[in-house]
PDB file of all heavy atoms in Angstrom:
ATOM      1  N   GLY A 299      94.658  23.799-110.691  1.00  0.00           N
ATOM      2  CA  GLY A 299      94.396  23.389-112.065  1.00  0.00           C
ATOM      3  C   GLY A 299      93.901  21.980-112.290  1.00  0.00           C
ATOM      4  O   GLY A 299      92.722  21.705-112.206  1.00  0.00           O
ATOM      5  N   ARG A 300      94.799  21.073-112.572  1.00  0.00           N
ATOM      6  CA  ARG A 300      94.413  19.695-112.901  1.00  0.00           C
ATOM      7  C   ARG A 300      94.418  18.776-111.689  1.00  0.00           C
ATOM      8  O   ARG A 300      94.640  17.575-111.788  1.00  0.00           O
ATOM      9  CB  ARG A 300      95.287  19.139-114.020  1.00  0.00           C
ATOM     10  CG  ARG A 300      96.761  19.100-113.733  1.00  0.00           C
ATOM     11  CD  ARG A 300      97.524  18.588-114.956  1.00  0.00           C
ATOM     12  NE  ARG A 300      98.938  18.465-114.642  1.00  0.00           N
ATOM     13  CZ  ARG A 300      99.581  17.317-114.557  1.00  0.00           C
ATOM     14  NH1 ARG A 300      98.952  16.189-114.789  1.00  0.00           N
ATOM     15  NH2 ARG A 300     100.865  17.280-114.266  1.00  0.00           N
ATOM     16  N   GLY A 301      94.195  19.342-110.533  1.00  0.00           N
ATOM     17  CA  GLY A 301      94.123  18.546-109.321  1.00  0.00           C
ATOM     18  C   GLY A 301      95.360  18.731-108.462  1.00  0.00           C
ATOM     19  O   GLY A 301      96.243  19.545-108.767  1.00  0.00           O
ATOM     20  N   ALA A 302      95.418  17.962-107.388  1.00  0.00           N
ATOM     21  CA  ALA A 302      96.517  18.100-106.433  1.00  0.00           C
ATOM     22  C   ALA A 302      96.753  16.765-105.748  1.00  0.00           C
ATOM     23  O   ALA A 302      95.973  15.819-105.903  1.00  0.00           O
ATOM     24  CB  ALA A 302      96.181  19.181-105.409  1.00  0.00           C
ATOM     25  N   VAL A 303      97.833  16.725-104.984  1.00  0.00           N
ATOM     26  CA  VAL A 303      98.147  15.552-104.176  1.00  0.00           C
ATOM     27  C   VAL A 303      98.252  16.004-102.733  1.00  0.00           C
ATOM     28  O   VAL A 303      98.905  17.005-102.432  1.00  0.00           O
ATOM     29  CB  VAL A 303      99.467  14.891-104.631  1.00  0.00           C
ATOM     30  CG1 VAL A 303      99.859  13.762-103.687  1.00  0.00           C
ATOM     31  CG2 VAL A 303      99.341  14.368-106.054  1.00  0.00           C
ATOM     32  N   ILE A 304      97.597  15.267-101.846  1.00  0.00           N
ATOM     33  CA  ILE A 304      97.681  15.533-100.415  1.00  0.00           C
ATOM     34  C   ILE A 304      98.473  14.400 -99.783  1.00  0.00           C
ATOM     35  O   ILE A 304      98.286  13.232-100.128  1.00  0.00           O
ATOM     36  CB  ILE A 304      96.272  15.689 -99.795  1.00  0.00           C
ATOM     37  CG1 ILE A 304      96.358  16.154 -98.343  1.00  0.00           C
ATOM     38  CG2 ILE A 304      95.467  14.409 -99.925  1.00  0.00           C
ATOM     39  CD1 ILE A 304      95.026  16.577 -97.750  1.00  0.00           C
ATOM     40  N   SER A 305      99.395  14.761 -98.898  1.00  0.00           N
ATOM     41  CA  SER A 305     100.249  13.748 -98.275  1.00  0.00           C
ATOM     42  C   SER A 305     100.655  14.189 -96.881  1.00  0.00           C
ATOM     43  O   SER A 305     100.387  15.321 -96.465  1.00  0.00           O
ATOM     44  CB  SER A 305     101.501  13.516 -99.125  1.00  0.00           C
ATOM     45  OG  SER A 305     102.327  14.665 -99.095  1.00  0.00           O
ATOM     46  N   LYS A 306     101.323  13.298 -96.173  1.00  0.00           N
ATOM     47  CA  LYS A 306     101.892  13.648 -94.878  1.00  0.00           C
ATOM     48  C   LYS A 306     102.859  14.801 -95.091  1.00  0.00           C
ATOM     49  O   LYS A 306     103.617  14.813 -96.058  1.00  0.00           O
ATOM     50  CB  LYS A 306     102.645  12.465 -94.282  1.00  0.00           C
ATOM     51  CG  LYS A 306     101.762  11.298 -93.921  1.00  0.00           C
ATOM     52  CD  LYS A 306     102.607  10.137 -93.415  1.00  0.00           C
ATOM     53  CE  LYS A 306     101.735   8.949 -93.055  1.00  0.00           C
ATOM     54  NZ  LYS A 306     102.559   7.789 -92.636  1.00  0.00           N
ATOM     55  N   GLY A 307     102.815  15.758 -94.179  1.00  0.00           N
ATOM     56  CA  GLY A 307     103.718  16.895 -94.273  1.00  0.00           C
ATOM     57  C   GLY A 307     104.879  16.743 -93.307  1.00  0.00           C
ATOM     58  O   GLY A 307     105.006  15.741 -92.614  1.00  0.00           O
ATOM     59  N   MET A 308     105.692  17.775 -93.253  1.00  0.00           N
ATOM     60  CA  MET A 308     106.791  17.819 -92.304  1.00  0.00           C
ATOM     61  C   MET A 308     106.209  18.319 -90.988  1.00  0.00           C
ATOM     62  O   MET A 308     105.735  19.449 -90.920  1.00  0.00           O
ATOM     63  CB  MET A 308     107.897  18.743 -92.803  1.00  0.00           C
ATOM     64  CG  MET A 308     108.510  18.300 -94.111  1.00  0.00           C
ATOM     65  SD  MET A 308     109.326  16.720 -94.007  1.00  0.00           S
ATOM     66  CE  MET A 308     110.776  17.162 -93.080  1.00  0.00           C
ATOM     67  N   GLY A 309     106.220  17.488 -89.972  1.00  0.00           N
ATOM     68  CA  GLY A 309     105.582  17.851 -88.722  1.00  0.00           C
ATOM     69  C   GLY A 309     104.175  17.292 -88.687  1.00  0.00           C
ATOM     70  O   GLY A 309     103.798  16.442 -89.493  1.00  0.00           O
ATOM     71  N   THR A 310     103.377  17.779 -87.778  1.00  0.00           N
ATOM     72  CA  THR A 310     102.014  17.281 -87.593  1.00  0.00           C
ATOM     73  C   THR A 310     101.054  18.056 -88.488  1.00  0.00           C
ATOM     74  O   THR A 310     100.235  18.841 -88.020  1.00  0.00           O
ATOM     75  CB  THR A 310     101.608  17.428 -86.111  1.00  0.00           C
ATOM     76  OG1 THR A 310     102.647  16.894 -85.305  1.00  0.00           O
ATOM     77  CG2 THR A 310     100.324  16.676 -85.821  1.00  0.00           C
ATOM     78  N   CYS A 311     101.194  17.851 -89.782  1.00  0.00           N
ATOM     79  CA  CYS A 311     100.340  18.549 -90.748  1.00  0.00           C
ATOM     80  C   CYS A 311     100.259  17.739 -92.025  1.00  0.00           C
ATOM     81  O   CYS A 311     100.925  16.718 -92.173  1.00  0.00           O
ATOM     82  CB  CYS A 311     100.901  19.944 -91.042  1.00  0.00           C
ATOM     83  SG  CYS A 311     102.451  19.952 -91.967  1.00  0.00           S
ATOM     84  N   LEU A 312      99.449  18.225 -92.940  1.00  0.00           N
ATOM     85  CA  LEU A 312      99.339  17.640 -94.279  1.00  0.00           C
ATOM     86  C   LEU A 312      99.818  18.664 -95.290  1.00  0.00           C
ATOM     87  O   LEU A 312      99.644  19.862 -95.098  1.00  0.00           O
ATOM     88  CB  LEU A 312      97.887  17.257 -94.574  1.00  0.00           C
ATOM     89  CG  LEU A 312      97.249  16.274 -93.593  1.00  0.00           C
ATOM     90  CD1 LEU A 312      95.790  16.031 -93.973  1.00  0.00           C
ATOM     91  CD2 LEU A 312      98.022  14.970 -93.545  1.00  0.00           C
ATOM     92  N   SER A 313     100.417  18.183 -96.368  1.00  0.00           N
ATOM     93  CA  SER A 313     100.866  19.054 -97.454  1.00  0.00           C
ATOM     94  C   SER A 313     100.013  18.791 -98.681  1.00  0.00           C
ATOM     95  O   SER A 313      99.702  17.635 -98.996  1.00  0.00           O
ATOM     96  CB  SER A 313     102.334  18.773 -97.802  1.00  0.00           C
ATOM     97  OG  SER A 313     103.169  19.123 -96.733  1.00  0.00           O
ATOM     98  N   VAL A 314      99.642  19.872 -99.378  1.00  0.00           N
ATOM     99  CA  VAL A 314      98.867  19.764-100.613  1.00  0.00           C
ATOM    100  C   VAL A 314      99.652  20.462-101.710  1.00  0.00           C
ATOM    101  O   VAL A 314      99.934  21.659-101.628  1.00  0.00           O
ATOM    102  CB  VAL A 314      97.466  20.400-100.465  1.00  0.00           C
ATOM    103  CG1 VAL A 314      96.682  20.258-101.774  1.00  0.00           C
ATOM    104  CG2 VAL A 314      96.708  19.773 -99.303  1.00  0.00           C
ATOM    105  N   TYR A 315     100.030  19.688-102.723  1.00  0.00           N
ATOM    106  CA  TYR A 315     100.793  20.204-103.858  1.00  0.00           C
ATOM    107  C   TYR A 315      99.950  20.126-105.126  1.00  0.00           C
ATOM    108  O   TYR A 315      99.321  19.084-105.371  1.00  0.00           O
ATOM    109  CB  TYR A 315     102.044  19.360-104.107  1.00  0.00           C
ATOM    110  CG  TYR A 315     103.152  19.562-103.113  1.00  0.00           C
ATOM    111  CD1 TYR A 315     103.233  18.821-101.941  1.00  0.00           C
ATOM    112  CD2 TYR A 315     104.156  20.500-103.366  1.00  0.00           C
ATOM    113  CE1 TYR A 315     104.262  19.009-101.036  1.00  0.00           C
ATOM    114  CE2 TYR A 315     105.196  20.689-102.468  1.00  0.00           C
ATOM    115  CZ  TYR A 315     105.236  19.942-101.312  1.00  0.00           C
ATOM    116  OH  TYR A 315     106.261  20.125-100.413  1.00  0.00           O
ATOM    117  N   PRO A 316      99.949  21.178-105.946  1.00  0.00           N
ATOM    118  CA  PRO A 316      99.324  21.047-107.266  1.00  0.00           C
ATOM    119  C   PRO A 316     100.002  19.890-107.995  1.00  0.00           C
ATOM    120  O   PRO A 316     101.194  19.617-107.781  1.00  0.00           O
ATOM    121  CB  PRO A 316      99.638  22.381-107.956  1.00  0.00           C
ATOM    122  CG  PRO A 316      99.941  23.324-106.835  1.00  0.00           C
ATOM    123  CD  PRO A 316     100.550  22.495-105.746  1.00  0.00           C
ATOM    124  N   MET A 317      99.260  19.188-108.827  1.00  0.00           N
ATOM    125  CA  MET A 317      99.769  17.985-109.486  1.00  0.00           C
ATOM    126  C   MET A 317     101.120  18.207-110.172  1.00  0.00           C
ATOM    127  O   MET A 317     102.054  17.418-109.998  1.00  0.00           O
ATOM    128  CB  MET A 317      98.740  17.470-110.494  1.00  0.00           C
ATOM    129  CG  MET A 317      99.109  16.122-111.074  1.00  0.00           C
ATOM    130  SD  MET A 317      99.218  14.803-109.854  1.00  0.00           S
ATOM    131  CE  MET A 317      97.498  14.602-109.444  1.00  0.00           C
ATOM    132  N   GLN A 318     101.249  19.281-110.931  1.00  0.00           N
ATOM    133  CA  GLN A 318     102.499  19.526-111.647  1.00  0.00           C
ATOM    134  C   GLN A 318     103.665  19.690-110.672  1.00  0.00           C
ATOM    135  O   GLN A 318     104.734  19.134-110.863  1.00  0.00           O
ATOM    136  CB  GLN A 318     102.397  20.755-112.544  1.00  0.00           C
ATOM    137  CG  GLN A 318     103.684  21.029-113.310  1.00  0.00           C
ATOM    138  CD  GLN A 318     103.560  22.206-114.263  1.00  0.00           C
ATOM    139  OE1 GLN A 318     102.474  22.622-114.608  1.00  0.00           O
ATOM    140  NE2 GLN A 318     104.689  22.733-114.687  1.00  0.00           N
ATOM    141  N   ARG A 319     103.452  20.450-109.608  1.00  0.00           N
ATOM    142  CA  ARG A 319     104.524  20.664-108.627  1.00  0.00           C
ATOM    143  C   ARG A 319     104.851  19.372-107.882  1.00  0.00           C
ATOM    144  O   ARG A 319     106.002  19.111-107.566  1.00  0.00           O
ATOM    145  CB  ARG A 319     104.150  21.783-107.652  1.00  0.00           C
ATOM    146  CG  ARG A 319     105.234  22.093-106.662  1.00  0.00           C
ATOM    147  CD  ARG A 319     106.534  22.559-107.358  1.00  0.00           C
ATOM    148  NE  ARG A 319     107.606  22.698-106.396  1.00  0.00           N
ATOM    149  CZ  ARG A 319     108.850  22.258-106.565  1.00  0.00           C
ATOM    150  NH1 ARG A 319     109.207  21.669-107.700  1.00  0.00           N
ATOM    151  NH2 ARG A 319     109.751  22.415-105.626  1.00  0.00           N
ATOM    152  N   TRP A 320     103.841  18.538-107.616  1.00  0.00           N
ATOM    153  CA  TRP A 320     104.069  17.244-106.965  1.00  0.00           C
ATOM    154  C   TRP A 320     105.017  16.398-107.815  1.00  0.00           C
ATOM    155  O   TRP A 320     105.950  15.785-107.304  1.00  0.00           O
ATOM    156  CB  TRP A 320     102.745  16.515-106.749  1.00  0.00           C
ATOM    157  CG  TRP A 320     102.906  15.106-106.253  1.00  0.00           C
ATOM    158  CD1 TRP A 320     102.875  13.981-107.002  1.00  0.00           C
ATOM    159  CD2 TRP A 320     103.138  14.688-104.903  1.00  0.00           C
ATOM    160  NE1 TRP A 320     103.059  12.881-106.210  1.00  0.00           N
ATOM    161  CE2 TRP A 320     103.229  13.287-104.917  1.00  0.00           C
ATOM    162  CE3 TRP A 320     103.270  15.363-103.687  1.00  0.00           C
ATOM    163  CZ2 TRP A 320     103.446  12.536-103.762  1.00  0.00           C
ATOM    164  CZ3 TRP A 320     103.485  14.614-102.534  1.00  0.00           C
ATOM    165  CH2 TRP A 320     103.571  13.221-102.582  1.00  0.00           C
ATOM    166  N   GLU A 321     104.764  16.373-109.117  1.00  0.00           N
ATOM    167  CA  GLU A 321     105.611  15.586-110.016  1.00  0.00           C
ATOM    168  C   GLU A 321     107.036  16.134-110.035  1.00  0.00           C
ATOM    169  O   GLU A 321     108.008  15.368-110.000  1.00  0.00           O
ATOM    170  CB  GLU A 321     105.000  15.566-111.417  1.00  0.00           C
ATOM    171  CG  GLU A 321     103.697  14.773-111.459  1.00  0.00           C
ATOM    172  CD  GLU A 321     102.882  14.999-112.719  1.00  0.00           C
ATOM    173  OE1 GLU A 321     103.259  15.842-113.564  1.00  0.00           O
ATOM    174  OE2 GLU A 321     101.841  14.329-112.853  1.00  0.00           O
TER     175      GLU A 321
END
Side-chain angles (χ1 to χ4, degrees):
R300 59 183 184 112
V303 174
I304 188 169
S305 68
K306 294 177 180 177
M308 298 297 287
T310 311
C311 69
L312 302 178
S313 294
V314 180
Y315 286 89
M317 188 62 71
Q318 180 177 342
R319 183 61 187 135
W320 172 262
E321 292 166 356

